[in-house]
Amino acid sequence: MSHQRSYRVAVLGGDGIGPEVVDVALEVVRASGVVIETTHFELGAARYLRDGFVLDDATVEELRRFDAILLGAVGPAIGDTRIPGGVLERGLLLRLRFALDLYINYRPFRGVAGSIAEGSEFAIVRENTEGPYAGEGGILRYGTAHEVATQGSVNTRFGVERCVRHAFARATQSRQAKLTLVHKTNVLTFAGDLWSRVVAEVGAEFSNVEVDYHHVDAACIYLVESPERYGVIVTDNLFGDILSDLAGAVTGGIGYAASANLNPDKTGPSLFEPVHGAAHDIAGTGRANPLAAVSSAALMLEHLGEVDAANRITRAVQEFNGDVSLGTASITQEIVGRL
Ligand code: IPM
Ligand code: MN
């Protein structure tokens, strides 16, 4: 390690297994030799239930000053109806994605031994600030027999282009040098047309990248039947959300799936989080699989420029490739021991 700078990391452990898996991730980062200084923020379902607080401008501004944000998982237990849907999702997670302009959701996958997609490696580059997530729409004549609910999908040339450009840049560097646009251009003819044209235009600058297109429904079949078709998948916010759960399932379960909510321009911190949820049912039992959080921390180090440490952690996770029923503590020992 040529330099010994210390990174300021905001830690949002969250709910359920979130704090446990994030603790493991921090332990692994420290074992890799990277120096971090952490500040914990209590945000999420438990905090909301205690004092009604989700997130405010001052906290967003405070978070903006960190080098990175590491999040565990946020959400109430299944069946707990005290928090209306959207309060935490829109109020916390999406608010951070929008406020910090985390316009890429990067989710790399690698099929572990015994999984449907064993041996295949691909990534989803999901647009992370637009589409149906943008919040366009509303309800008219609420609660009447004539009510109207609209929820539009926002697709700007600026937003689509910066996402597609990021995906091509990743595809260029990937083993397969292949990019697949996933959309539903036969039905979503307006948004699909914009995405297709932008992929064609930007693709002209990346002549070494093979470009393909799949409808999202067909992509669901291919991900299960022939995942090796994929290198980098680029897609909109909602399709990317759905496809990344499917991709997680076929590559070994979302217990492994890591994600990076990136501000590639580095005008502020990026946010790293496992794809899985809070899993309250196993919280505190020592059974949580911390590998998704560990891999998310590796993505954080890569983004911070600590590529060597990131690669060592990723390699340790891959080599372990193992029995996640061992429990959190044993898995942690396995990873730390390989660093
Ligand atoms: C994800 C999650 C979020 C999303 C939810 C919690 C808002 O499912 O990160 O994939 O839909 O983006
Ligand atoms: Mn999701």
Side-chain angles (χ1 to χ4, degrees):
M1 225 148 296
S2 54
H3 54 112
Q4 196 58 351
R5 74 159 282 203
S6 159
Y7 300 94
R8 297 183 65 233
V9 178
V11 181
L12 280 52
D15 304 302
I17 62 169
E20 311 167 23
V21 296
V22 146
D23 276 352
V24 174
L26 294 172
E27 182 180 338
V28 169
V29 166
R30 292 194 163 106
S32 79
V34 175
V35 182
I36 52 172
E37 185 196 318
T38 56
T39 305
H40 290 258
F41 289 79
E42 197 205 341
L43 297 169
R47 173 73 190 273
Y48 176 75
L49 289 172
R50 198 180 73 228
D51 63 14
F53 184 85
V54 180
L55 186 65
D56 60 9
D57 289 344
T59 308
V60 171
E61 291 319 308
E62 206 181 330
L63 289 170
R64 209 186 278 289
R65 293 198 293 271
F66 284 83
D67 294 313
I69 303 168
L70 191 62
L71 187 147
V74 160
I78 292 167
D80 182 341
T81 53
R82 289 174 295 171
I83 310 179
V87 168
L88 294 173
E89 293 83 351
R90 286 216 167 265
L92 179 55
L93 194 54
L94 299 187
R95 181 159 175 199
L96 287 174
R97 287 178 185 172
F98 297 152
L100 302 174
D101 204 18
L102 308 176
Y103 64 86
I104 297 295
N105 199 319
Y106 172 65
R107 297 179 163 179
F109 296 93
R110 182 176 166 280
V112 303
S115 68
I116 291 174
E118 176 167 352
S120 56
E121 234 176 301
F122 59 90
I124 296 179
V125 172
R126 161 186 175 189
E127 201 293 320
N128 211 30
T129 52
E130 300 192 341
Y133 281 70
E136 194 267 355
I139 302 192
L140 296 174
R141 309 188 200 109
Y142 192 93
T144 73
H146 299 277
E147 66 185 323
V148 181
T150 60
Q151 196 115 39
S153 173
V154 173
N155 298 263
T156 69
R157 170 166 280 272
F158 175 75
V160 173
E161 186 173 331
R162 65 183 181 171
C163 173
V164 166
R165 202 167 277 288
H166 184 88
F168 268 106
R170 290 205 180 260
T172 281
Q173 287 161 22
S174 71
R175 190 165 43 79
Q176 302 99 323
K178 182 169 181 190
L179 177 141
T180 305
L181 169 64
V182 173
H183 209 279
K184 186 75 183 176
T185 56
N186 51 344
V187 174
L188 305 181
T189 50
F190 311 134
D193 184 52
L194 177 59
W195 277 86
S196 303
R197 279 184 290 119
V198 169
V199 166
E201 285 168 26
V202 176
E205 297 169 31
F206 293 87
S207 52
N208 70 315
V209 176
E210 183 193 340
V211 180
D212 204 355
Y213 169 78
H214 292 157
H215 290 320
V216 64
D217 47 353
C220 290
I221 297 177
Y222 298 150
L223 271 174
V224 174
E225 290 188 352
S226 46
E228 69 284 350
R229 286 168 185 261
Y230 295 111
V232 171
I233 291 173
V234 66
T235 190
D236 87 350
N237 209 339
L238 183 58
F239 294 147
D241 176 48
I242 298 165
L243 285 178
S244 54
D245 271 24
L246 179 58
V250 300
T251 52
I254 54 170
Y256 291 94
S259 82
N261 294 264
L262 298 173
N263 171 334
D265 313 324
K266 302 194 176 174
T267 56
S270 291
L271 184 155
F272 303 82
E273 55 169 341
V275 176
H276 63 67
H280 287 263
D281 52 330
I282 59 165
T285 65
R287 281 163 48 218
N289 173 5
L291 293 177
V294 169
S295 296
S296 300
L299 292 173
M300 174 178 84
L301 295 186
E302 187 186 311
H303 185 73
L304 291 171
E306 296 289 344
V307 177
D308 174 63
N311 289 341
R312 279 185 286 120
I313 294 172
T314 301
R315 214 173 312 121
V317 171
Q318 289 175 0
E319 280 170 16
F320 168 59
N321 202 8
D323 184 3
V324 288
S325 65
L326 281 174
T328 316
S330 306
I331 299 171
T332 307
Q333 286 321 303
E334 291 281 344
I335 301 302
V336 168
R338 283 179 163 80
L339 288 175

